[in-house]
Amino acid sequence: AEVLRLDGVTKSYGSGEVETEVLHGIDLVLEQGEFAALIGPSGSGKSTLLNLIGLLDRPKYGRLSIQGEEASQLEEAELTRLRGRAIGFVFQYHYLIAEFTALENVMMPMLVERGRPDAEMQKRAESLLEKVGLLQWKDSRATNISGGQQQRVAIARALAMNPALVLADEPTGNLDTHTADGVFELMREVNLSNRTTFLIVTHDPRLAARCDRIIELVDGRIVSDRPNTRT
Ligand code: ADP
Ligand code: ADP
């Protein structure tokens, strides 16, 4: 099944005389279960593209659909709902809430959505923490665990709503090589066990080489999009 489709998507910043187009006619389809890397030099438009796909910003031209829902047809509130239901975000910095425990951080997206009994949310958050190997840290404050553990909590939180698509922007950029490998492996396991689609922005060629597909952006255009047969 198609999780994501972009047809001729463009994006500009500024307006009038200073308007600059930074994405030019992007076509891209991601199917369920794909594990894709998005690479390209700094300033090539990776973050901008991720913001559009994450429904945090709207294209200027072109069409963008998530799970068959065409984003330009949706009002702000519907976009927010689609984002919450379909997309999980992992950033370079984890953005955990320092005053909250690991468990409370993972429960956050479920609390925002509401409508579930507390016990059920807690059980789901615990099972997610178990999946990322941190169940014994569930009552620790976010600031009292290591950087790699914090990023694992952030991944568990991204999975809270069982999204079809996880967007990860330099998810291991702050971590040492060994810890980065562990976090990367975790995403791979989730991808294989849940068929969750991943789109991972990375500057690390080692990690890109471990994805199934490598999409390369240069100056706002996809210049290469190839399966990676080495995995
Ligand atoms: P990265 O290369 O890691 O994506 P950048 O330094 O390019 O990070 O951008 C960091 C943030 O600053 C992004 O959210 C981006 O949208 C914003 N940004 C980048 N360039 C500009 C700019 N010329 N004017 C305003 N914001 C910008
Ligand atoms: P990357 O993530 O690949 O580093 P970005 O998407 O951050 O690239 O940036 C692509 C281009 O858009 C760059 O030229 C950047 O300066 C520009 N840009 C990014 N965000 C903004 C913004 N908020 N306002 C103006 N220009 C921006």
Side-chain angles (χ1 to χ4, degrees):
E2 214 171 81
V3 171
L4 172 74
R5 168 177 286 271
L6 278 74
D7 291 302
V9 165
T10 73
K11 171 70 191 173
S12 301
Y13 288 114
S15 59
E17 303 247 310
V18 291
E19 178 163 342
T20 314
E21 193 176 279
V22 299
L23 291 177
H24 320 284
I26 302 287
D27 299 322
L28 180 66
V29 173
L30 289 178
E31 304 279 344
Q32 184 182 11
E34 286 208 73
F35 195 73
L38 177 62
I39 65 170
S42 188
S44 58
K46 304 182 299 296
S47 300
T48 301
L49 182 57
L50 232 55
N51 285 343
L52 295 179
I53 295 172
L55 308 175
L56 299 168
D57 202 355
R58 289 176 183 270
K60 180 168 188 201
Y61 298 116
R63 293 167 7 127
L64 188 157
S65 312
I66 306 276
Q67 293 187 305
E69 291 214 56
E70 154 65 12
S72 69
Q73 305 294 318
L74 303 178
E75 319 232 319
E76 244 5 90
E78 295 170 313
L79 273 188
T80 303
R81 240 186 328 103
L82 179 58
R83 187 192 308 124
R85 168 163 66 70
I87 302 173
F89 294 92
V90 182
F91 302 98
Q92 179 167 5
Y93 179 75
H94 53 73
Y95 297 111
L96 298 180
I97 298 173
E99 294 76 22
F100 283 14
T101 65
L103 188 75
E104 288 164 346
N105 270 283
V106 176
M107 285 172 69
M108 271 301 291
M110 297 185 261
L111 290 166
V112 169
E113 156 134 315
R114 306 244 167 229
R116 293 194 210 200
D118 284 3
E120 189 192 315
M121 286 193 284
Q122 178 157 341
K123 215 167 140 227
R124 170 146 180 85
E126 283 175 353
S127 87
L128 287 163
L129 279 177
E130 185 169 26
K131 178 178 290 216
V132 302
L134 289 176
L135 189 55
Q136 71 272 38
W137 299 94
K138 72 185 169 90
D139 296 320
S140 302
R141 280 206 187 195
T143 42
N144 288 346
I145 56 179
S146 72
Q149 290 172 328
Q150 289 171 339
Q151 199 59 320
R152 285 171 169 265
V153 173
I155 291 171
R157 181 186 54 187
L159 299 173
M161 304 304 291
N162 195 24
L165 175 63
V166 171
L167 301 174
D169 197 350
E170 295 278 353
T172 62
N174 273 324
L175 306 173
D176 65 73
T177 308
H178 177 74
T179 310
D181 282 350
V183 167
F184 190 84
E185 276 315 307
L186 171 63
M187 294 192 292
R188 181 51 131 179
E189 280 164 28
V190 170
N191 161 251
L192 292 174
S193 62
N194 296 10
R195 300 205 65 219
T196 308
T197 305
F198 279 76
L199 182 62
I200 304 170
V201 172
T202 181
H203 280 112
D204 187 342
R206 261 176 0 103
L207 295 184
R210 286 157 60 186
C211 294
D212 296 333
R213 174 175 171 187
I214 303 179
I215 301 158
E216 185 178 3
L217 205 58
V218 175
D219 289 340
R221 288 192 171 81
I222 294 177
V223 296
S224 154
D225 183 352
R226 58 188 188 275
N228 182 21
T229 46
R230 279 196 46 239
T231 50

